[in-house]
Every structure is written in C-alpha cells, then in structure tokens.
Amino acid sequence: MPLVHNSRVQPEWIDYNGHMSEAFYVLIFGHATDAFLDAIGLDAETRSQAKVSAYTVEAHIRYVREVQEGEAVEVQTQLVGHDAKRAHLFHTMARAADGTVVATEEILVLHVDTQAGGTAPFQPVAANALEQLQKRHDRLPRPQDVARAITMPSRSVTG
Amino acid sequence: MPLVHNSRVQPEWIDYNGHMSEAFYVLIFGHATDAFLDAIGLDAETRSQAKVSAYTVEAHIRYVREVQEGEAVEVQTQLVGHDAKRAHLFHTMARAADGTVVATEEILVLHVDTQAGGTAPFQPVAANALEQLQKRHDRLPRPQDVARAITMPSRSVTG
C-alpha cells in the first residue's frame, strides 16, 4: 500500500479561474512529503533535534483536472527509489469522492545536515525505514510518468 | 530580452525550515506566467471578455537555492516554443540583489475556451504576438534544462 495523505481545498487556494491555483497543488503535495518524512521517522521534532532536514530539489508536476473549493483530495505516495542521501517519490492526488486523478508530482528529496549546510546520509533509523518501505513499494506498479520530460512536438503554428 | 517579473518574498511564504516553501516559488512563477499572458495581449480583461484562459498542464521545477523572507526576486521568462494552442515557457528566478539563480520552472500552457470547456486556438492578436515574441526569443540561448527529467542513478544505498 502506498502512504496516504488527506486534504481539503481551502477558499484561499482558489484563483481567478475559479479553481485551485497551481501553487496550492504543490502545497498539498508538500504536506504529503511531510507525511512521508513522518512515516520514515523523520518527523519535525526528530529533524529539529538531529539538526537535519529534507529539501525538495526537483519536481515534475502534471495538472490533470481542475479542483474546486471545498473538495476533499487524497494523495497516495510511492517511494520510487532511494540511496544514502536521497529519496525519489511519486505523489498521486485524486478526488476523495470518486478517485479521479487530478494531479501527479514526482520529486527528488535530499537529506541535509542543517548545521553543516550540506547533504548528509540518512541516520540509521530513517535508512532502515526507507529499506523496509522500498521493499513494500517495489511490489507496486512503477508509476507511468516517472522520469517524464516536457516535450512539445514540432509542428506548424496553424496545426 | 526575456520578459521580466519582479516579486518580494512575503512572511506567509516561509515554512518551518525558515525559508520560502516550495509552493510559493510556484506562486511567483504563476505570476510571471500571468505577466507573459499580459505581454501577448491575453490580460485578465481580455480573457474574461473572450471567455478564454490559459492553463498550466505540466511543470518541471528545480529548487536551486534557499530564499529568505523579504528578499526581492526577479523572474525572466523565455518563450521556448509554441503552436496554435500551446506555449512552452522557461522561467528563471534570481535574487534581484546579485542575480544568483534560485529556481527554474519549465511549463507547458494550454489555451482553452472556458465556455466550451476544451482547448482552442489562440485568437489572432495573441497568435501574432506569440509569433513576434518567438522571433525575438529564438535569438536567446536555449535554456540548458529544457526537457529535463528527474533521474536517480542506481547505486548502493551505502554509496
């Protein structure tokens, strides 16, 4: 089973088009990343005490469907890969009501030593949790859009 | 010359790490996309009257440097390509003080008919503006990270 994070679309996340603005999909995905960190034992208190954190350094988002104010959404998170200092995640956001996928976000997260100001290996508790989670998530189908790039086929502007 | 959009980092955009949260880079980039739409004659009033809009359907972000509360940032926008219904943009966000790049965002924008609820060709004014802008921006160096994908080389977790 992927990890699950639930959210509800707040009024201040709606833009002039009358639906959730692109930044706030990323805010919800960020909360799902926080939930992932909690799940591997890197909750806020542990990060603060150990003087470590996790920074998203790269993200690829697909905005698939509009989302309205007040809608409940559910983010499922799959650990695609990891190494000593990095985690590669794939978030899928769906409407809680009917499971329609509304967006996906693939991210690369770096583990950092906030005191030294550089990357640092995950400490044993998190590293072990990642190993266990990886074993479980390796059984899930690999998300179709991992390593996706934005491309626009060349064609006539009248095409 | 690329298009330029200026912003300043607001207190409510700062997260528990003490620097700008990933969602708010995207908020600033979204404002730069709005400025781009203004520049091709698709300002809010025109969109509302013509019942058209422009939706970002895909984004690739690199978070390069931390940004602090109150910092002034400048986004330069390059039109990488376009066709009858789509624009492919590359935003580069830099600290206004010293020009240090703090983030980049590549996006694909779809032109939509909000009444019909589907994609629609740009109307002549916008299409002509895109053609003119494309000619100018084709003289700029192509951004290095266009069509970039997230990849994590396989290696040992102790690597």
Side-chain angles (χ1 to χ4, degrees), chain B residues 43-124:
Chain B
D43 55 89
E45 196 184 335
T46 304
R47 295 197 303 269
S48 167
Q49 283 176 358
K51 308 230 184 306
V52 298
S53 197
Y55 293 170
T56 297
V57 289
E58 197 161 353
H60 192 108
I61 303 150
R62 291 190 72 195
Y63 297 99
V64 181
R65 290 272 185 281
E66 301 173 30
V67 179
Q68 313 298 325
E69 180 181 335
E71 278 201 272
V73 295
E74 179 184 285
V75 180
Q76 296 200 341
T77 299
Q78 181 170 348
L79 178 62
V80 175
H82 74 282
D83 63 17
K85 300 175 177 179
R86 301 184 295 178
H88 183 184
L89 304 183
F90 196 90
H91 294 305
T92 303
M93 188 187 300
R95 287 195 187 108
D98 62 5
T100 306
V101 173
V102 296
T104 66
E105 188 190 51
E106 177 191 10
I107 60 170
L108 191 62
V109 174
L110 273 190
H111 186 252
V112 296
D113 177 328
T114 54
Q115 218 159 21
T119 61
F122 291 105
Q123 292 168 338

Side-chain angles (χ1 to χ4, degrees), chain A residues 16 34 58-61 148, chain B residues 16 34 53 58-61 148:
Chain A
Y16 54 73
D34 290 343
E58 197 160 353
H60 192 107
I61 303 150
R148 182 179 166 101
Chain B
Y16 55 74
D34 290 343
S53 197
E58 197 161 353
H60 192 108
I61 303 150
R148 182 180 168 101

Side-chain angles (χ1 to χ4, degrees), chain A residues 23-24 27, chain B residues 12-13 20-29 93:
Chain A
F24 298 98
L27 189 70
Chain B
E12 61 269 28
W13 299 351
M20 184 157 70
S21 189
E22 49 196 307
F24 298 97
Y25 289 80
V26 175
L27 188 71
I28 295 175
F29 283 133
M93 188 187 300

